[in-house]
Amino acid sequence: MKNGQPLVLAVALVVGLWLGRGCGGWNGGENSDSRGAFQGHWNASGDQARLLNVLHRIEDLYVDTFDRSKLVDAAIGAMLEKLDPHTVYFSGEELAAMSENMEGNFEGIGVEFIIQDDTLMVVSAIPGGPSESAGVQAGDRILEVEGAPISGPELDNRQVMDLLKGPRGTEVTLGLSRRDDRFQVRLTRDRIPIQSVVASFVSEDSVGYVKAIRFAANTAQEFEEAMAMLEAEGANSVVVDLRGNGGGYLNAVVDMVELFLDQGDPIVYTEGKSSPRRTYKTRFRGPYADWPVAVLVDEGSASASEIFAGAVQDNDRGVVVGRRTFGKGLVQEEFPVPGSGALRLTVARFYTPTGRAIQKPYTDYEDDFDVRLASGELYYEDSMPLVDSLRYLTPLGREVFGGGGIAPDVFVPWDSTATSAWVSEWIWTGVLRDAVFTWMDGHRDILMTCQSPGDIEALPNWRQSVVESVYAQVERDGWSWREPTEEESAKLRHRFLAQIVRSHWGESASYEVLIQGDEGVARAFHALAKGQPFVRVRGAVSLNLTNKDINNNNEEHGF
């Protein structure tokens, strides 16, 4: 009981602060007159009186001085732990960092960088940014900012961000080194886009592929532009890859999914205790309503990704391929908190067009992947927790299930061998990234002659140079090393090549390398290339088979 007292007092403090909002504020160091005015406003009984009593005792009698800000942050966290896992409080700094990703831009000079050998090195200049316009190239060393040297052992990512980011329209002079040349460039900072749609291309079978990693403010526009590009390049069907996409803004997913639906089709509805039901429907017939669609999902697809997949599935509009999604179906609204930060409060739940609640139970929430792994759900379709009492029917009579997440029409087991622990270690430690940069730094001239990833693989001593480059970086960083197996070497070369392609030709091109051998993508491509699960109904493309038929069809064609 004694150990719980600080937590109780912290909760009491912050609740007192919230109750007192709009009552002239709260300044703990002021005299009792101001505190009396505060208390006079809340001349209350019951819970309010208890909270205020504790609050006043802390201010008057607590033995030590304390940091009120830290106490408030701890108290807010303690309160919100009693609610759902997605009701959270963000400090001002956390809110600003998140805003960059979700608003889809930041202001700066537009470079990707790494710090290697105590030196700031350019990995790539972001397309359309000030650095690209000024001719900054991959491999350039940034040695000075406004005449001041920045190399050295004290250099870290935070210092670099503080130096290079800044308000739009401000100027900064960089001192650069390129091979043996030293020169300066003066840049005007600008708004730099953060891409949400990171890949889009057309396969040999005229099947398009689009990868979206979040649903941010600019995602719908990026997605529509990607779809237009696919159409211009001859695609007539599309795989939308939402694996690992944790969600984002509701309006973004509504704008995206309605591109594939008919006018008036339901997309999602929301409802909560204090939030009346609100149904979102398509406003027009989508320009791609006649395209067959496959949606790739996995256990990392959540929130807006589940709305997209659920709308496609419940309208019998396409095939959902992969594994059961995460099951995050809660609506948050953001409320500013006086002083600093914001409260993101759950106010409603999402429901798919057939009435399925996307939200899963809160038990084992943080251990979701381990629970799925232990139950066999990641490997076997019949291990998915589908409850008969939560069975729903689509307009075509297909069975779909509630209870948490979107279960796929075509199950793809988790490939635990897709990457090895040995390769993953070099990815997560940054060894692979740094080794690739060093390799590219020594091969920039010959890389300029390469027209495709195959040309890179055809370079002399490619196979051996990859392992040697990673080994050299491991030695520089002081990690332990063992000789890889042939399978590990092959996977290392695959990731090494994809990283080179990303730096040399861009992120979209790297996904063309990464999806090679990806069973989920192969199954989705196969279904769309054959076109068998689809039929045209009233001018729009729709599914024509039951779940069982779709899966049987997949088995007959060996994928």
Side-chain angles (χ1 to χ4, degrees):
M1 185 67 184
K2 202 170 184 178
N3 293 335
Q5 285 178 351
L7 180 62
V8 173
L9 296 181
V11 173
L13 174 60
V14 76
V15 171
L17 283 167
W18 280 11
L19 291 175
R21 186 176 63 180
C23 306
W26 175 256
N27 297 300
E30 294 182 0
N31 59 35
S32 59
D33 290 337
S34 62
R35 190 166 63 245
F38 178 88
Q39 185 174 10
H41 182 86
W42 286 103
N43 188 14
S45 60
D47 291 339
Q48 292 176 350
R50 288 193 296 130
L51 292 171
L52 289 171
N53 183 274
V54 172
L55 175 63
H56 299 156
R57 290 292 183 269
I58 293 174
E59 289 293 333
D60 287 341
L61 303 173
Y62 187 65
V63 62
D64 294 321
T65 58
F66 58 88
D67 186 325
R68 184 181 299 104
S69 177
K70 290 182 179 179
L71 191 60
V72 167
D73 286 344
I76 292 173
M79 283 195 301
L80 300 188
E81 281 182 2
K82 300 299 182 181
L83 305 178
D84 66 272
H86 299 287
T87 290
V88 290
Y89 167 77
F90 296 105
S91 67
E93 290 183 357
E94 292 170 328
L95 204 59
M98 289 182 57
S99 177
E100 286 185 354
N101 279 332
M102 295 313 296
E103 292 305 319
N105 63 75
F106 65 94
E107 294 180 349
I109 66 169
V111 293
E112 291 186 34
F113 66 86
I114 63 171
I115 298 172
Q116 193 175 74
D117 299 328
D118 300 331
T119 302
L120 179 60
M121 303 184 181
V122 177
V123 174
S124 65
I126 296 174
S131 292
E132 183 192 51
S133 300
V136 176
Q137 298 178 8
D140 289 350
R141 276 70 167 163
I142 302 177
L143 304 180
E144 296 178 348
V145 176
E146 295 294 348
I150 62 170
S151 300
E154 298 82 16
L155 187 64
D156 59 24
N157 288 336
R158 173 50 58 189
Q159 182 184 357
V160 172
M161 300 290 276
D162 290 342
L163 288 169
L164 300 186
K165 291 174 68 175
R168 184 181 188 183
T170 59
E171 295 184 339
V172 61
T173 300
L174 305 182
L176 302 179
S177 170
R178 182 179 299 161
R179 298 180 176 89
D180 296 326
D181 296 330
R182 297 282 292 268
F183 59 98
Q184 289 188 335
V185 295
R186 187 152 185 83
L187 305 174
T188 301
R189 295 182 177 95
D190 203 347
R191 186 164 292 137
I192 310 301
I194 300 175
Q195 297 297 316
S196 300
V197 177
V198 295
S200 56
F201 51 84
V202 182
S203 73
E204 295 177 357
D205 295 315
S206 297
V207 177
Y209 172 89
V210 181
K211 173 74 173 179
I213 60 173
R214 69 178 68 86
F215 290 86
N218 58 339
T219 306
Q221 179 181 344
E222 291 178 31
F223 187 80
E224 192 164 359
E225 291 170 354
M227 290 297 301
M229 182 274 292
L230 295 179
E231 185 175 32
E233 294 185 3
N236 50 32
S237 60
V238 66
V239 174
V240 180
D241 191 347
L242 300 178
R243 292 175 300 180
N245 185 327
Y249 292 146
L250 175 60
N251 60 343
V253 66
V254 168
D255 289 346
M256 288 166 63
V257 76
E258 72 176 346
L259 297 176
F260 301 99
L261 301 177
D262 209 347
Q263 184 174 7
D265 282 347
I267 296 174
V268 66
Y269 70 87
T270 63
E271 194 170 17
K273 174 179 66 70
S274 301
S275 301
R277 175 167 173 164
R278 180 178 180 183
T279 300
Y280 294 81
K281 294 184 177 182
T282 56
R283 299 160 294 178
F284 50 80
R285 176 182 168 80
Y288 307 103
D290 59 348
W291 282 35
V293 180
V295 184
L296 270 170
V297 296
D298 64 8
E299 55 284 344
S301 306
S303 188
S305 293
E306 296 172 291
I307 292 172
F308 191 105
V312 168
Q313 191 176 60
D314 281 15
N315 284 289
D316 293 309
R317 184 56 191 81
V319 179
V320 177
V321 180
R323 295 181 294 280
R324 183 172 64 93
T325 60
F326 181 80
K328 193 272 184 183
L330 300 176
V331 183
Q332 275 85 43
E333 285 190 24
E334 201 166 279
F335 302 93
V337 174
S340 176
L343 171 67
R344 188 166 293 173
L345 182 68
T346 297
V347 296
R349 288 183 171 84
F350 288 121
Y351 297 86
T352 70
T354 59
R356 292 183 287 165
I358 294 173
Q359 182 60 44
K360 67 182 179 183
Y362 301 147
T363 54
D364 298 319
Y365 214 74
E366 301 299 327
D367 303 317
D368 179 78
F369 185 86
D370 292 336
V371 171
R372 296 186 190 215
L373 185 64
S375 70
E377 180 184 344
L378 297 179
Y379 298 107
Y380 306 107
E381 182 177 9
D382 58 9
S383 294
M384 286 191 293
L386 306 181
V387 182
D388 286 339
S389 61
L390 298 175
R391 182 172 62 92
Y392 298 79
L393 295 178
T394 70
L396 289 181
R398 296 189 309 128
E399 292 183 352
V400 291
F401 292 87
I406 303 297
D409 302 306
V410 177
F411 180 78
V412 180
W414 178 53
D415 183 5
S416 60
T417 66
T419 187
S420 69
W422 185 81
V423 174
S424 295
E425 181 178 4
W426 307 135
I427 294 172
W428 292 111
T429 57
V431 164
L432 179 67
R433 175 203 62 207
D434 293 349
V436 167
F437 182 86
T438 301
W439 186 95
M440 292 184 69
D441 221 27
H443 294 80
R444 296 202 183 275
D445 290 337
I446 196 169
L447 276 174
M448 297 304 295
T449 68
C450 295
Q451 302 298 314
S452 70
D455 292 343
I456 297 175
E457 292 180 292
L459 293 175
N461 301 319
W462 159 255
R463 292 168 61 91
Q464 187 60 30
S465 71
V466 170
V467 175
E468 289 175 352
S469 296
V470 174
Y471 171 70
Q473 189 63 47
V474 168
E475 288 285 294
R476 283 192 292 270
D477 291 349
W479 299 97
S480 60
W481 173 266
R482 66 165 175 80
E483 286 299 314
T485 65
E486 182 52 42
E487 182 181 16
E488 288 171 334
S489 294
K491 291 174 180 176
L492 182 66
R493 288 194 299 272
H494 184 226
R495 294 304 294 253
F496 200 95
L497 176 63
Q499 189 72 22
I500 292 174
V501 169
R502 182 184 184 277
S503 296
H504 196 55
W505 287 300
E507 193 162 14
S508 183
S510 74
Y511 273 91
E512 296 188 59
V513 175
L514 288 171
I515 67 171
Q516 294 172 11
D518 187 318
E519 186 180 3
V521 174
R523 290 195 178 197
F525 273 10
H526 184 92
L528 295 182
K530 298 299 180 182
Q532 292 164 335
F534 299 92
V535 65
R536 192 172 297 277
V537 178
R538 296 189 303 277
V541 167
S542 178
L543 289 179
N544 193 36
L545 302 172
T546 65
N547 292 16
K548 184 173 183 294
D549 291 330
I550 292 172
N551 280 299
N552 286 342
N553 220 327
N554 294 337
E555 292 165 6
E556 288 167 9
H557 291 279
F559 69 89

